[in-house]
Amino acid sequence: MRRTFLPMIAALVALGAAGASAQTGSGLGSGSGAAPVPTPAGAAASSLTLRDRLIIVSSGSSAGIAQLLAQNFAERFDGANLPHLRAIGSSQALEMFCAGTGVQTPDIAVTTRRMPRAMVENCTANGVRDIVELQIGLGAVVLAARRGEVLPSVSSRQVWSALAAEQPVEGEFVPNRFGSWADIGPGLPRLPIRVIVPAAGSGTRMLFEDLILEAGCRHVRDIRLIFEASYRHGKCVTLRNDSAVIPVPATDVPARLLAAPPGTLAVMSYDQLVASGGNFLAVTLDGDLPTAASIASGSYEQSRTYYLYAKRQHGRNVQGVGVVRGLREFLNEASSEQAGGPGGYLSLAGLVPLPPADRAAQRRIAERQMLMSR
């Protein structure tokens, strides 16, 4: 795993170092006159840190959130360099984060999926043991259409029936031949099935598979009769490869929907829906419409939590020695009320605030840099 990602990580470091300059002061916002902190290219033996710019990797669907955090962090703390950002797939972001420690590896990962146990074990095997896990807000995966178009109310079962590569017919799985939403169930419009979906590997695609496709197929009798879990999972999440399904990079979904033929639906994140400024409207799914209130209350079941992971090993110790400057300050920014509270800049971007008690718990984790316990 480490060999696979080190060349990509080295490129990240080179990009991050190219725009970095020496900083003065022993800490962000301190204003004290201490020894300058050089960039990696000019690092000397007396350097306090190897880098003066955070490197952040994120899933495509959380790239906008990571960018907002980075911009506000750089503006709020004196002497802070704008972090270098790289948006990749959710799994790739976590794999890169877990590839090891040191100047050639990212400091922070922002994703729309929680780090699975297997990835935690991979981190540990590569020496990434001191991980801080923060929850920074709630989002959701939604079906959306352009304003002014027909908005059918659909169920997860109907979405799976429309998009799955195969459908059970008399006990056998055959290629999906449904051409119109009206073929799926009564009351649905006689419009061609055409859905834009995020490309495989993105956080939004994974949530779409977990929260809509699998939710839609789990009660299908022929699916339940499949004993092998991996085979059953494949029948649930494998999509058709015809014109009914249009996979695109997660960040391109809104633009592609704007340019799509009438009647096209798209799978996107709730923050992308909000960012459209009313150009898109959400489809009612399983009887619930995704709103800030329904996501916060949990009634909209296709919701998810945004996670931030940081390597405490990269932060500076009490002597001011470490891999990078600003790790503690970035965690404090990400958990602050001005970021994730009601009316904060993340909520204005479409992230739903955590309940008050949960936000307070995340601030304690950030302030104390408490390690992930699982």
Side-chain angles (χ1 to χ4, degrees):
M1 187 74 71
R2 185 180 301 188
R3 291 178 181 174
T4 303
F5 283 97
L6 279 180
M8 191 182 301
I9 294 168
L12 280 179
V13 174
L15 286 171
S21 59
Q23 300 293 316
T24 301
S26 59
L28 293 179
S30 65
S32 59
V37 181
T39 65
S46 59
S47 298
L48 296 180
T49 55
L50 299 174
R51 271 196 272 109
D52 61 2
R53 185 183 300 268
L54 289 165
I55 293 178
I56 303 171
V57 290
S58 73
S59 61
S61 57
S62 58
I65 300 301
Q67 185 175 27
L68 279 173
L69 289 172
Q71 290 171 343
N72 282 272
F73 158 76
E75 292 171 1
R76 182 176 178 186
F77 294 99
D78 293 338
N81 282 318
L82 183 67
H84 178 71
L85 304 177
R86 173 75 184 274
I88 51 180
S90 188
S91 294
Q92 286 180 295
L94 290 175
E95 287 172 0
M96 190 179 289
F97 177 84
C98 288
T101 60
V103 68
Q104 291 187 321
T105 64
D107 312 296
I108 291 170
V110 181
T111 73
T112 50
R113 64 181 293 217
R114 196 177 193 199
M115 187 182 290
R117 184 171 297 277
M119 191 62 69
V120 175
E121 294 172 354
N122 182 48
C123 267
T124 301
N126 289 334
V128 185
R129 298 183 177 89
D130 294 350
I131 302 173
V132 179
E133 179 188 72
L134 284 182
Q135 298 177 24
I136 56 177
L138 302 168
V141 59
V142 306
L143 273 177
R146 288 180 300 197
R147 177 180 288 280
E149 296 192 0
V150 176
L151 294 178
S153 177
V154 296
S155 67
S156 295
R157 171 73 174 268
Q158 290 170 331
V159 174
W160 176 77
S161 296
L163 304 185
E166 296 179 328
Q167 288 292 308
V169 177
E170 297 180 355
E172 294 186 4
F173 284 91
V174 299
N176 191 341
R177 299 302 183 196
F178 290 133
S180 166
W181 285 102
D183 299 333
I184 304 297
L188 294 181
R190 190 160 296 282
L191 291 171
I193 297 170
R194 188 167 45 244
V195 181
I196 299 169
V197 301
S202 70
T204 305
R205 173 64 175 267
M206 292 177 181
L207 289 162
F208 173 58
E209 293 176 352
D210 293 346
L211 302 178
I212 297 181
L213 294 179
E214 289 211 66
C217 81
R218 67 167 60 106
H219 299 303
V220 177
R221 180 178 180 274
D222 295 86
I223 296 289
R224 287 190 288 109
L225 291 176
I226 299 175
F227 177 76
E228 186 181 346
S230 61
Y231 184 61
R232 186 170 61 246
H233 175 77
K235 293 297 183 186
C236 286
V237 304
T238 303
L239 300 181
R240 333 167 37 155
N241 60 3
D242 56 18
S243 60
V245 176
I246 305 101
V248 303
T251 53
D252 294 348
V253 169
R256 291 294 295 270
L257 179 57
L258 281 175
T264 303
L265 299 179
V267 176
M268 64 178 64
S269 61
Y270 180 71
D271 51 293
Q272 287 176 319
L273 178 75
V274 172
S276 77
N279 286 318
F280 306 142
L281 295 177
V283 172
T284 299
L285 187 60
D286 294 327
D288 283 305
L289 192 66
T291 64
S294 65
I295 293 169
S297 68
S299 65
Y300 184 74
E301 295 183 355
Q302 291 75 27
S303 60
R304 74 286 180 77
T305 302
Y306 280 74
Y307 289 92
L308 184 153
Y309 293 96
K311 295 175 185 172
R312 196 174 75 174
Q313 291 154 290
H314 280 196
R316 297 193 292 181
N317 60 23
V318 292
Q319 288 79 33
V321 177
V323 172
V324 68
R325 308 173 70 238
L327 193 66
R328 179 187 297 274
E329 290 83 356
F330 193 92
L331 293 178
N332 288 338
E333 176 65 24
S335 60
S336 68
E337 283 293 285
Q338 74 172 25
Y345 58 81
L346 294 184
S347 67
L348 296 178
L351 210 61
V352 178
L354 298 168
D358 292 345
R359 297 201 304 274
Q362 299 309 305
R363 286 195 297 275
R364 286 194 296 273
I365 292 172
E367 290 166 359
R368 302 172 186 176
Q369 296 194 68
M370 298 166 60
L371 299 182
M372 184 173 66
S373 59
R374 59 189 175 88

